[in-house]
Amino acid sequence: MSVEQLKKVEAFSDVIRERRSVRSYDPSYRMTREEIKALLDDAILAPSSSNLQPWRFLVIDQQEMKERLLPIAHNQQQVVDAAAVIAVLGDVEAYKNADKIYSRAVEAGYMPEDVKNNFVPRLEQMYGGLSKEAAKGIALIDGGLISMQLMLAAKARGLDTVPMGGYNAEQFVKEFAVPETYVPVMLIAVGKAAAPGRPTSRLSVDEVTTWNTF
């Protein structure tokens, strides 16, 4: 490993080890829309099934809207104190963007046009034929990938986050008029910590790893 590669590993190691789930936020700290978009710009580089990028975001940064979210999120104080709450959603009909996505790949020189013209119809047929549960499962997996990337990108910027699954998803969908093709993945509060997140203990690699077969 080169010196430059070692430095990158060390920097990344610092980010993942400094990240904590923070539940106490400085309510006076604000993020601009540009800062939030820059954070999401890093997050959307996450991988996804067939590069269909099914993630969608509802950014809740107005105090009035955070107050509306509070009871839906079981009155977790970070909802109103954090600079923003980002709802990560998964579009189960993301395959309908396949032509747009792969046309851009052709324009960028990443893929020959004849390959794209053969590939896209097969993608649309395959994903369009999935059951609702299968499509939802893919959206949730891809939503989890981008959620982790978002939280690490936030920590690299000196920000703090906490992922939240403890909320009433049905009420959330209704209150915030979430399109019916979107499934809620999680809520992520982001801002500046007012108190550090608690360190946690972890199982060792040997305790969670088996080689080749069980």
Side-chain angles (χ1 to χ4, degrees):
M1 185 179 295
S2 68
V3 173
E4 186 65 26
Q5 288 173 322
L6 184 59
K7 288 180 179 179
K8 289 181 179 180
V9 170
E10 290 174 345
F12 180 69
S13 182
D14 287 343
V15 170
I16 62 176
R17 283 164 174 76
E18 290 170 3
R19 187 209 60 80
R20 295 279 187 273
S21 290
V22 169
R23 292 175 174 80
S24 180
Y25 288 85
D26 177 357
S28 68
Y29 183 78
R30 296 288 183 265
M31 294 177 67
T32 65
R33 294 281 174 90
E34 289 72 22
E35 289 172 328
I36 295 172
K37 287 174 69 176
L39 175 61
L40 295 176
D41 203 39
D42 281 351
I44 61 174
L45 297 176
S48 61
S49 180
S50 299
N51 194 34
L52 291 177
Q53 307 160 51
W55 40 69
R56 305 292 180 262
F57 306 107
L58 175 61
V59 179
I60 302 170
D61 61 351
Q62 294 179 347
Q63 197 63 29
E64 175 188 353
M65 301 305 288
K66 290 191 285 183
E67 294 287 350
R68 284 172 59 179
L69 177 60
L70 184 62
I72 295 172
H74 307 313
N75 296 308
Q76 297 179 75
Q77 189 63 29
Q78 64 264 25
V79 167
V80 289
D81 287 347
V85 176
I86 300 173
V88 181
L89 309 165
D91 184 359
V92 297
E93 294 187 353
Y95 67 90
K96 293 182 178 180
N97 286 320
D99 188 73
K100 179 195 295 185
I101 291 168
Y102 284 96
S103 291
R104 291 181 184 177
V106 171
E107 291 170 7
Y110 301 151
M111 175 181 283
E113 187 167 9
D114 61 331
V115 174
K116 171 252 177 184
N117 290 338
N118 180 54
F119 187 53
V120 167
R122 289 191 288 116
L123 274 185
E124 292 173 337
Q125 182 179 19
M126 181 178 70
Y127 284 93
L130 293 176
S131 68
K132 290 183 178 180
E133 283 305 306
K136 179 179 178 181
I138 292 171
L140 291 176
I141 289 172
D142 290 345
L145 289 171
I146 199 168
S147 295
M148 189 70 253
Q149 185 139 315
L150 192 160
M151 290 184 282
L152 292 177
K155 192 60 195 176
R157 288 170 163 76
L159 299 170
D160 297 286
T161 57
V162 61
M164 292 179 284
Y167 65 100
N168 188 312
E170 290 184 5
Q171 286 185 9
F172 175 79
V173 166
K174 182 178 179 180
E175 182 69 22
F176 289 89
V178 176
E180 62 180 12
T181 60
Y182 293 3
V183 295
V185 178
M186 69 180 74
L187 305 177
I188 301 177
V190 57
K192 281 285 187 180
R198 295 180 180 178
T200 55
S201 58
R202 301 294 168 124
L203 297 172
S204 70
V205 171
D206 286 339
E207 289 176 296
V208 299
T209 306
T210 299
W211 302 89
N212 297 312
T213 186
F214 284 95

